[in-house]
């Protein structure tokens, strides 16, 4: 079987999603999970873009052993120098440099011409080669770059020493056969193509990222750039789990990855929780309903023989239907064991704090499932906020005017306020605004149940605008009004000093 290298860019392209930014500790946690999952390359960040990104690449380089650590740059010397410095501790390192090659980028972004861009491409690769052996070059907007010119760029950068050449469909525009033909064209027309690996990097704007990636692989690409849960700007990137499982299910393609598919589900949950990015219920492979048969005909068929309706075994992606459900009587050891299975390792003191929260939740909710546990562990991770909700009391219903009183702890002081509103959330937020007197407007507000049942935990995502900037907040609680206020406070905590 041929081998496909999995290049994970959850921490770079995935993390560009507004509101999904992780701190360095959280990025290290994701990087370790990716290493356990078996990815070959981790794109850890874009070091020149911010001190935070630089630091994350440094720390991930120190922590991760097996995968190659990759840092993104533009075709700019300063970027390359900073990336090389950030990668200094990596056991295996790669610089990923590149430039736009489509007419749009050449003309309107760089105000340049094809020959100049070709020269800059070669110069960037040669410069990166001074610092690392492994240099990947991306031809941004390759999806809309004419094949003949693209082939000239690919040939030139391979000659200059590029080990991998990335062919991004940056705008998610290509049709699967078009993208496949592009890769085929390069395989057939570039001198020295066998000295490098061609990589796919597809965006999902038209819902074709996975199809395009598979088409690229069938036509000769041997690296796929992906993100966990397909997260990424706009409609996202190709989903790692989809590529891994397509190749596992379709043995006839004769291509394998090193992904330990049994870790897919826990990694998906970890990323979703840390990034506060819910996975849509019908998401392939990792969505809540991906293996749920609800129609009578399907249920009957599956009971007779699983393969009647299932092309994959849920256990192959790490979904354990027999997983123990924790209750108020479960001990700390059971909690620790379950969290470890989900990829979360907590030090004893943190575990104690999560256990306390777990018992409180178990008093309100009979069965505690994996999502609840990850939500609790995530909550514990963000206990560093300046403003905290002390209490919230709300009266609402039919025929009564909704009123709320709220207590906040800011620093070490307590503040209280009350307000009426046109609903319980409105009343609670108006009361909160009496304490935190800033210009701020709620722009987006979504409530989602994690699982099923009226005793479920509600997750709230909010976007709050303050002085022209949008801040993202998240809250989770069995009481959706409390979850809403938590989300509002979470957003405020991002701009109060
Ligand atoms: O989509 C894209 O073109 C990219 C490159 C920077 C690799 O993310
Ligand atoms: Zn991209």
């Amino acid at each position: 079987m041929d081998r496909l290298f999995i290049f994970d860019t959850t921490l770079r392209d995935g993390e560009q999603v507004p509101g999904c930014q992780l701190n360095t500790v959280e990025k290290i946690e994701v990087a370790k999970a990716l290493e356990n999952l078996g990815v070959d390359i981790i794109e850890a960040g874009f070091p020149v873009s911010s001190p935070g990104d630089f630091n994350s690449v440094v720390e991930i380089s120190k922590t991760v052993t097996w995968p190659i650590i990759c840092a993104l740059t533009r075709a700019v010397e300063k970027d390359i120098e900073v990336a090389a410095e950030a990668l200094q501790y990596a056991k295996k390192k790669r610089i990923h440099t590149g430039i736009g090659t489509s007419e749009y980028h050449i003309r309107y972004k760089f105000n340049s011409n094809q020959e100049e861009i070709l020269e800059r491409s070669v110069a960037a690769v040669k410069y990166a080669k001074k610092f690392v052996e492994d240099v990947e070059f991306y031809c941004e907007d390759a999806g809309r770059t004419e094949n003949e010119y693209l082939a000239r760029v690919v040939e030139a950068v391979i000659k200059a020493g590029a080990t991998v050449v990335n062919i991004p469909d940056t705008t998610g525009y290509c049709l699967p056969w078009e993208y496949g033909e592009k890769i085929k064209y390069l395989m057939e027309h570039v001198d020295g193509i066998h000295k490098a690996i061609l990589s796919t990097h597809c965006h999902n704007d038209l819902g074709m990222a996975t199809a395009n990636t598979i088409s690229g692989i069938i036509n000769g690409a041997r690296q796929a750039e992906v993100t966990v849960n397909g997260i990424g700007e706009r409609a996202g990137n190709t989903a790692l789990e989809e590529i891994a499982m397509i190749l596992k299910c379709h043995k006839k393609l004769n291509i394998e990855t090193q992904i330990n598919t049994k870790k897919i589900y826990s990694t998906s949950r970890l990323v979703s929780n840390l990034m506060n990015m819910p996975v849509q219920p019908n998401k392939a492979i990792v969505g809540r309903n991906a293996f749920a048969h609800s129609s009578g005909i399907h249920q009957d068929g599956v009971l007779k023989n699983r393969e009647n309706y299932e092309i994959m075994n849920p256990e192959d992606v790490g979904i354990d239907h027999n997983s123990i459900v924790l209750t108020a009587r479960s001990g700390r050891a059971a909690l620790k064991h379950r969290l470890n299975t989900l990829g979360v390792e907590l030090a004893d003191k943190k575990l104690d704090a999560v256990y306390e929260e777990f018992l409180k939740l178990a008093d309100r909710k009979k069965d505690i499932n994996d999502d609840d546990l990850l939500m609790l562990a995530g909550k514990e991770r963000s206990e560093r906020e300046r403003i905290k909700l002390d209490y919230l009391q709300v009266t609402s219903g039919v025929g009564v005017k909704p009123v709320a009183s709220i207590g906040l702890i800011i620093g070490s002081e307590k503040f209280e306020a009350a307000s009426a509103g046109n609903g319980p959330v409105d009343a609670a937020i108006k009361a909160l605004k009496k304490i935190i007197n800033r210009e701020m407007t709620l722009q987006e507000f979504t409530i989602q149940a994690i699982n099923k049942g009226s005793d479920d935990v509600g997750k709230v995502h909010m976007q709050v605008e303050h002085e022209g900037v949008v801040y993202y907040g998240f809250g989770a609680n069995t009481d959706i009004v409390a979850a809403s206020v938590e989300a509002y406070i979470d957003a405020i905590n991002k701009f109060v000093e």
Side-chain angles (χ1 to χ4, degrees), residues 371-432:
D371 284 311
D372 297 327
L373 291 181
L374 286 166
M375 182 267 297
L376 289 178
K379 218 178 201 177
E380 208 286 329
R381 275 184 209 109
S382 58
E383 281 298 293
R384 49 193 135 70
E385 285 96 24
R386 204 172 115 67
I387 303 172
K388 287 191 179 139
L389 179 63
D390 186 23
Y391 71 85
L392 173 71
Q393 189 175 11
V394 183
T395 310
S396 73
V398 178
V400 291
K401 184 153 182 70
V403 285
S405 44
I406 193 168
L408 298 183
I409 299 175
I410 306 180
S412 53
E413 278 186 80
K414 281 192 176 194
F415 297 83
E416 293 178 309
S419 177
N422 69 3
V425 174
D426 186 46
I429 286 176
K430 280 193 171 127
L432 179 139

Side-chain angles (χ1 to χ4, degrees), residues 42 44 47 54 57-58 61 68-72 81-96 132 134:
I42 296 176
F54 180 88
V57 176
V58 171
S61 298
I68 295 169
I69 305 300
C70 178
L72 186 81
E81 287 158 18
V82 174
E85 197 190 332
L87 287 169
Q88 63 185 300
Y89 300 105
K91 282 118 211 132
K92 301 177 204 164
K93 51 185 100 170
R94 175 182 297 178
I95 288 179
H96 187 191
V132 294
D134 191 1

Side-chain angles (χ1 to χ4, degrees), residues 12-13 16 43 72 96 138-141 166 168-170 201 203 225 237:
R12 201 277 300 168
D13 226 358
Q16 276 172 219
E43 188 161 50
L72 186 81
H96 187 191
Y138 63 85
C139 308
E140 195 177 1
D141 205 15
N166 179 11
D169 183 21
T170 306
H201 177 115
H203 280 265
E225 306 199 359
N237 292 52

Side-chain angles (χ1 to χ4, degrees), residues 41 71 85 200 221 228 275 325 337 384 423 475:
I41 303 108
E85 197 190 332
T200 63
V228 174
M275 292 195 163
V325 176
H337 175 76
R384 49 193 135 70

Side-chain angles (χ1 to χ4, degrees), residues 12 14 52 60 108 146 224 259 288 292 421 479:
R12 201 277 300 168
I60 290 170
Y108 305 116
E146 39 136 342
I259 295 296
R288 182 171 80 212
D479 179 324

